[in-house]
Amino acid sequence: MSHILPSLFVHLSLVLGYLAITPFTALAAGDQPNVVLIICDDLNDSVSGFGGHPQALTPNFDKFAATGVRFQRAYSNAPICAPSRASFLTGIYPSTSGNYKFDKWFEIPVLMNSNTLMGHFKANRYHVAGTGKIMHRHRRSEYNEFGYGADYGPVPFDGQNTVPHPSIPESLHELGSLDATFAPLSDVPFNGQNDAGWVIGNWQKPNQPWHYASDEDRDQTPDEQNAAWAADFLKSYSKNKPFFLAVGFIRPHTPLVAPQRFFDLFPIEEIKLSESLENDLADTHLPELDPESRGFMTYRGLDEGYNTVEAGLKAYTQAYLACVAAVDECLGQVLDALDESGYAENTIVIVTSDHGFSLGEKQHVYKNSLWEESARVPLIIRAPGLSKPGTNAEHPVSLIDLYPTLVDLCDLSTKTMKNKNGRPLDGHSLRPFIEDPENGTWDGPGGALTVVAGGWAPNSTHHYSLRTADWRYIRYNNGKEELYHHATDPHEWTNLSESPEHTATKQSLHDQLVALRGEPSPNATPVTPQAKPWDWFAAIDKDKNNKITQTEWLAWSKAADDKKGVPFDETKRTNAFNYFDADKNGTLSRPELPSE
């Protein structure tokens, strides 16, 4: 712990020093406030002040929270990147729009006919700027100016393809180059020999070499580039109109890479693991505990790849905490620039994440679950003259409420639909809790709604959760339920859904969930009659002769592995072909190939 104490001292000094600054003045009457929206990716409650990981070091989050309101029960409406961002940046629930997965949000009828948050501010004469990962699918037309696109690098490169980091056990390599990489940047893949090493880039400019000689002699990470771009924007902005600035940081999304100095803050032998319960999955009612589900695959890979699962989780948790500390530093750069710009007293600032992330609870290491660690997000709001510095709001809210909150605080038109095929905002303004965190009275619901995609049809085939102040109620698409009493069971260890004494509570929560979920918009998509399951057999059968040869199988397998960024194992794939070839005639018929 000796490595961490100096950082804690600096952390405390920063917070106390910031509290000594003269309080922000109220927004002047008639003044249109500026907005800075900062979104991290995969950031759970491992931020000081949210009761998450006890070793998290986030002095800049703390410094900012000392000037605003922490929302202690804030939740993602869809705990995976694309549908979460499409939802809260359009202000429309997935259950309303039908957008539960990775469809292009601007091709979903109800969303394409509704203004995004950025588009609405642009239409209201704001200068809208952005950089980094904002929407999962980027549209440059939503902004007046934009810095850097989303870039998940640095990523390991073997000279030909992005691959899992070679220092990571092979038991995790099936997860691909992003999820099977957690290492300091000083651990240069393949020692940087033969064109290998770290690369950055996106689909337009993939695999751009990323220079690393030492932590002092290296290129900036994408997050560092975005922080610098946003800081320069704030320091140089001079237009005679208010601005809306959106900043999207990738970390702590995988790959979990950061400079060595951030790893050094968390010595591996001192890492504390998240609290968990042995056999915690025994009383859950997932429709299927699919061994190929990524969260369970990661946990299993950590267990198999290290001497113990505890050792694997320590290595992973160290990398996660290092990335949280790294993004905290980037956050500080942007907020310091805002303070130096002279705009801080007339700028609303919101800092949050698109969803959380589990670190071993319920044998799960990932997002996209309905449990607390995956659904909960840190949320801090500062509205000068309205928010009470250093306070906490406990009422359950969700990301769907951000859009109406900013419309309210900036006094914009509430007409966010482009036309009759659009949809009004589903959320509610958080102003009452910003002004009075403890006793604010609002017109919003008593709980936060979260959905995980299950099938194609709106509502009926998906999995839902309602989180109230004291309860989490989960209903899966097979009718199974989970019920956790957070007042006495904050870790969600005891499922009370089959307890007779809680029947009335469960029914009440179910009714609230159904009412909040509502009905899909007439323009929701996709819908069952039009949606067809992917035809695996047809994708492999290139010559369409209703037979799959071993050559076709291996060609498809290699292309699929390359796309996933995982090594192609011809022997393993050949064995799979022979296994499916039940009549041993050297080809696969449709009945022999199971649906994927």
Side-chain angles (χ1 to χ4, degrees):
M1 192 62 68
S2 59
H3 296 78
I4 296 178
L5 287 176
S7 297
L8 291 175
F9 179 76
V10 172
H11 173 177
L12 182 60
S13 300
L14 281 168
V15 174
L16 293 176
Y18 204 75
L19 286 171
I21 296 174
T22 303
F24 291 105
T25 57
L27 298 173
D31 248 1
Q32 202 101 41
N34 307 304
V35 175
V36 174
L37 172 63
I38 301 174
I39 309 166
C40 299
D41 203 323
D42 287 20
L43 178 62
N44 62 18
D45 57 9
S46 296
V47 175
S48 298
F50 284 94
H53 199 285
Q55 293 173 302
L57 292 176
T58 53
N60 291 293
F61 275 94
D62 294 359
K63 176 181 172 181
F64 174 59
T67 69
V69 181
R70 282 188 182 99
F71 285 79
Q72 292 289 347
R73 293 189 178 98
Y75 294 90
S76 172
N77 301 111
I80 196 164
C81 306
S84 173
R85 291 165 184 263
S87 175
F88 77 80
L89 290 171
T90 62
I92 299 172
Y93 280 130
S95 53
T96 302
S97 70
N99 182 37
Y100 300 90
K101 300 185 180 181
F102 283 74
D103 304 282
K104 294 178 180 178
W105 62 269
F106 47 81
E107 294 180 355
I108 303 294
V110 67
L111 299 185
M112 66 188 295
N113 292 299
S114 303
N115 273 319
T116 65
L117 178 61
M118 298 78 69
H120 191 56
F121 271 80
K122 187 178 177 184
N124 281 269
R125 300 182 58 79
Y126 270 72
H127 182 80
V128 177
T131 189
K133 183 180 176 182
I134 312 301
M135 279 286 202
H136 192 81
R137 304 276 190 171
H138 177 62
R139 290 201 92 183
R140 176 66 177 76
S141 59
E142 300 294 312
Y143 307 85
N144 294 105
E145 61 176 302
F146 201 85
Y148 300 96
D151 188 330
Y152 292 84
V155 180
F157 186 71
D158 67 1
Q160 294 184 324
N161 301 295
T162 57
V163 295
H165 197 288
S167 295
I168 303 304
E170 289 190 10
S171 59
L172 290 154
H173 284 200
E174 61 184 328
L175 299 173
S177 58
L178 297 187
D179 292 347
T181 295
F182 44 99
L185 292 171
S186 55
D187 188 357
V188 179
F190 309 103
N191 296 315
Q193 302 298 312
N194 300 319
D195 297 322
W198 294 114
V199 294
I200 60 172
N202 52 40
W203 67 272
Q204 292 176 314
K205 292 184 178 180
N207 303 335
Q208 300 296 302
W210 190 82
H211 170 72
Y212 181 93
S214 69
D215 275 3
E216 294 72 35
D217 180 11
R218 62 175 176 83
D219 290 337
Q220 286 185 315
T221 66
D223 278 353
E224 291 168 341
Q225 288 180 328
N226 288 313
W229 190 94
D232 289 343
F233 171 88
L234 291 167
K235 292 175 184 177
S236 62
Y237 187 76
S238 59
K239 297 183 184 298
N240 189 27
K241 59 166 61 176
F243 64 79
F244 178 103
L245 173 64
V247 184
F249 292 127
I250 290 291
R251 299 295 171 262
H253 193 290
T254 55
L256 296 176
V257 294
Q260 181 67 51
R261 60 190 174 91
F262 293 110
F263 279 75
D264 291 342
L265 292 172
F266 310 100
I268 192 70
E269 66 275 7
E270 297 175 9
I271 290 293
K272 296 179 180 179
L273 298 182
S274 299
E275 293 190 62
S276 60
L277 179 70
E278 189 175 358
N279 297 322
D280 189 19
L281 291 173
D283 65 350
T284 60
H285 290 304
L286 291 172
E288 51 182 15
L289 286 178
D290 182 0
E292 299 308 310
S293 172
R294 189 157 290 255
F296 299 119
M297 285 173 63
T298 304
Y299 185 92
R300 185 178 69 240
L302 291 171
D303 188 12
E304 295 173 357
Y306 292 81
N307 290 330
T308 63
V309 68
E310 289 79 11
L313 287 171
K314 281 191 172 186
Y316 198 95
T317 301
Q318 179 196 42
Y320 186 87
L321 293 175
C323 288
V324 172
V327 81
D328 176 82
E329 187 172 279
C330 292
L331 171 72
Q333 184 177 353
V334 176
L335 295 179
D336 287 348
L338 176 61
D339 292 339
E340 296 166 9
S341 71
Y343 290 116
E345 293 185 356
N346 192 42
T347 300
I348 297 163
V349 183
I350 297 178
V351 179
T352 191
S353 174
D354 54 357
H355 47 74
F357 199 91
S358 59
L359 291 171
E361 303 90 345
K362 296 189 189 301
Q363 300 173 26
H364 192 267
V365 181
Y366 196 53
K367 48 208 170 191
N368 209 33
S369 83
L370 292 171
W371 299 313
E372 184 81 354
E373 296 79 16
S374 178
R376 187 180 178 215
V377 296
L379 173 61
I380 308 170
I381 300 178
R382 181 177 77 200
L386 296 179
S387 54
K388 296 182 178 180
T391 54
N392 293 280
E394 301 286 346
H395 193 285
V397 300
S398 67
L399 294 178
I400 202 74
D401 301 314
L402 295 185
Y403 195 154
T405 298
L406 287 173
V407 166
D408 182 7
L409 296 179
C410 297
D411 196 25
L412 302 187
S413 167
T414 58
K415 296 179 179 178
T416 58
M417 297 164 54
K418 293 179 180 179
N419 53 54
K420 65 180 182 180
N421 294 318
R423 167 82 182 194
L425 300 180
D426 281 328
H428 299 262
S429 173
L430 298 174
R431 178 192 281 264
F433 300 127
I434 293 171
E435 295 180 333
D436 187 354
E438 293 185 5
N439 302 302
T441 302
W442 79 327
D443 58 356
L449 180 71
T450 302
V451 60
V452 166
W456 288 106
N459 295 352
S460 61
T461 63
H462 301 287
H463 318 294
Y464 288 89
S465 164
L466 180 73
R467 176 67 159 89
T468 66
D470 290 337
W471 297 92
R472 175 177 297 286
Y473 169 72
I474 295 173
R475 185 174 181 86
Y476 295 108
N477 66 3
N478 61 358
K480 298 293 186 179
E481 299 165 302
E482 293 175 24
L483 179 67
Y484 301 104
H485 188 210
H486 265 259
T488 58
D489 181 22
H491 301 296
E492 300 180 348
W493 286 345
T494 304
N495 178 13
L496 302 171
S497 66
E498 297 180 4
S499 169
E501 64 183 284
H502 295 98
T503 300
T505 297
K506 184 177 69 172
Q507 185 62 49
S508 173
L509 292 168
H510 171 266
D511 293 345
Q512 292 178 56
L513 186 154
V514 172
L516 186 56
R517 183 182 70 188
E519 294 299 324
S521 163
N523 296 307
T525 189
V527 292
T528 306
Q530 299 169 341
K532 296 181 180 179
W534 181 57
D535 191 338
W536 188 21
F537 186 93
I540 305 174
D541 181 21
K542 293 299 184 183
D543 58 10
K544 307 305 176 188
N545 65 349
N546 289 318
K547 292 186 295 184
I548 294 176
T549 65
Q550 184 171 305
T551 299
E552 288 176 317
W553 170 262
L554 292 177
W556 177 87
S557 298
K558 186 177 189 310
D561 288 346
D562 288 345
K563 186 175 181 179
K564 294 176 184 177
V566 299
F568 172 63
D569 187 332
E570 183 172 347
T571 300
K572 182 177 179 181
R573 290 292 196 169
T574 300
N575 289 341
F577 179 89
N578 292 333
Y579 173 80
F580 290 136
D581 183 16
D583 59 12
K584 305 304 177 188
N585 70 345
T587 63
L588 301 183
S589 64
R590 187 176 285 272
E592 286 178 316
L593 190 66
S595 59
E596 191 174 54

